[in-house]
Amino acid sequence: MSTNVKTSALSAEELRSKIVLLQENLTKVIKGKAHPIKLLITALGAGGNVLMEDVPGVGKTTLAKALASSIDGKFSRVQFTPDLLPSDILGNSIYNQQEAKFFFRPGPVFANILLADEVNRASPRTQSALLECMSENQVSIAGKTSMLPNPFMVIATENPVEYQGTYPLPEAQLDRFAMQLELGYPDEEAEMQLLFDRLTNDPGTSLKAVLNCEEVAQMQVAVQQVSIEKTVVYYMLCIIKATRNDTRITLGASPRALLLLSRCCQSYAFIQGRDYVLPDDVKALCPAVLAHRLVIENKTKYSGISALEIVGDIVNKTKVPA
């Protein structure tokens, strides 16, 4: 867990060197998944939340725990079930008879990395408890607002093949996830290496922090200083508008999607050593940032065309600024 020791401000180059160490740390526990790991760190730099939709056993929980360990942050895991209540996540007010007053007992949401495991198994009422946390980094209970730790990130998981006893995530909640990621099965070489690494012990238990929470907060501030030219902003806007006008899409990307796309592009550029965003950054991030928040028209959906394919088609048809 992060200490309260004040960290001196790091330069952009020092922060980037720490990011390289963070990538190396995560690849020790998740083999052969450099691109999803890079996107996860991009979301962290952007101050965004991540939805991981994938089959069981590919390392979603392991990756979330490894990220928390690598940034010396507090990690909380909540297993979402149909009987889970909002107070089980946020906390509640407890009456102290000796002092004759109520005091607030924080829930597991008061962490740096919150793993919402199988988030679609909880009721809509419980799912909605995360909305304020994810968009405003705060919790309001009994008229009192409490700020969450900085940095704060929700990593939610769901199983894409098992729908019995689940509640689909509402569009308002999906829109609050900066990205949706998939790990997928590792290739043969990576899976063999994974097995050998775990014959005697779990590499995740011996991970050491390579940066702390204050340095992550500094990184998020540095990301905001990355410039975006007007032509690139217009390019992003054209893609967003195209999702709203496409007949295959019932509900297109929101203004929040544009804001998150731009911030993620800034983070992606920063990680790669640049202080400016390129159109290629936009192209690389559009699938992860936009696809999950689109509502596809029924006829299109049942014809087998996915949101990822539609986003790719829109990006390919949108004119790239010179």
Side-chain angles (χ1 to χ4, degrees), residues 81-305:
T81 56
D83 61 346
L84 191 73
L85 298 175
S87 58
D88 295 328
I89 304 170
L90 304 179
N92 48 33
S93 294
I94 305 295
Y95 185 71
N96 187 323
Q97 291 185 339
Q98 292 181 341
E99 299 182 11
K101 64 179 181 180
F102 286 91
F103 70 94
F104 178 64
R105 183 175 64 184
V109 73
F110 287 85
N112 299 112
I113 305 293
L114 173 68
L115 176 64
D117 211 1
E118 294 187 297
V119 65
N120 56 335
R121 290 199 174 279
S123 67
R125 178 189 176 194
T126 301
Q127 288 181 20
S128 66
L130 287 176
L131 295 181
E132 183 183 12
C133 306
M134 294 170 66
S135 61
E136 300 174 56
N137 285 22
Q138 65 181 34
V139 169
S140 298
I141 295 179
K144 180 182 178 182
T145 298
S146 301
M147 299 303 298
L148 295 171
N150 184 29
F152 171 75
M153 183 184 202
V154 173
I155 299 178
T157 72
E158 62 178 2
N159 186 339
V161 295
E162 186 179 356
Y163 296 108
Q164 186 175 0
T166 63
Y167 302 85
L169 300 184
E171 285 73 22
Q173 185 167 357
L174 287 170
D175 201 39
R176 283 168 167 80
F177 287 104
M179 293 186 190
Q180 178 176 316
L181 305 182
E182 295 181 7
L183 291 178
Y185 294 116
D187 59 33
E188 184 177 303
E189 182 181 352
E191 195 160 11
M192 185 171 290
Q193 186 61 51
L194 180 150
L195 174 61
F196 282 118
D197 286 348
R198 285 163 173 75
L199 284 177
T200 55
N201 64 341
D202 183 354
T205 59
S206 58
L207 278 185
K208 294 184 179 179
V210 293
L211 70 169
N212 58 42
C213 289
E214 188 174 335
E215 289 166 344
V216 173
Q218 289 180 26
M219 178 178 73
Q220 292 175 347
V221 172
V223 161
Q224 296 177 33
Q225 309 309 313
V226 174
S227 64
I228 311 178
E229 287 189 359
K230 198 170 184 178
T231 55
V232 179
V233 173
Y234 183 70
Y235 177 54
M236 288 190 286
L237 183 58
C238 287
I239 293 173
I240 295 293
K241 289 175 65 177
T243 67
R244 300 169 187 169
N245 298 325
D246 196 303
T247 56
R248 297 169 293 180
I249 300 174
T250 303
L251 181 64
S254 67
R256 182 190 282 120
L258 176 62
L259 294 174
L260 287 173
L261 177 60
S262 64
R263 185 54 51 83
C264 287
C265 286
Q266 288 175 299
S267 182
Y268 194 73
F270 182 82
I271 288 171
Q272 297 183 101
R274 286 183 275 105
D275 60 358
Y276 55 90
V277 172
L278 295 173
D280 284 346
D281 299 328
V282 181
K283 282 185 175 182
L285 293 179
C286 272
V289 175
L290 297 183
H292 66 280
R293 60 185 83 243
L294 305 180
V295 178
I296 308 302
E297 187 265 333
N298 283 335
K299 185 177 179 181
T300 301
K301 181 168 59 177
Y302 292 128
S303 68
I305 300 174

Side-chain angles (χ1 to χ4, degrees), residues 305-319:
I305 300 174
S306 69
L308 278 172
E309 291 174 312
I310 295 176
V311 170
D313 185 40
I314 290 173
V315 170
N316 289 334
K317 289 180 178 178
T318 304
K319 184 179 178 181

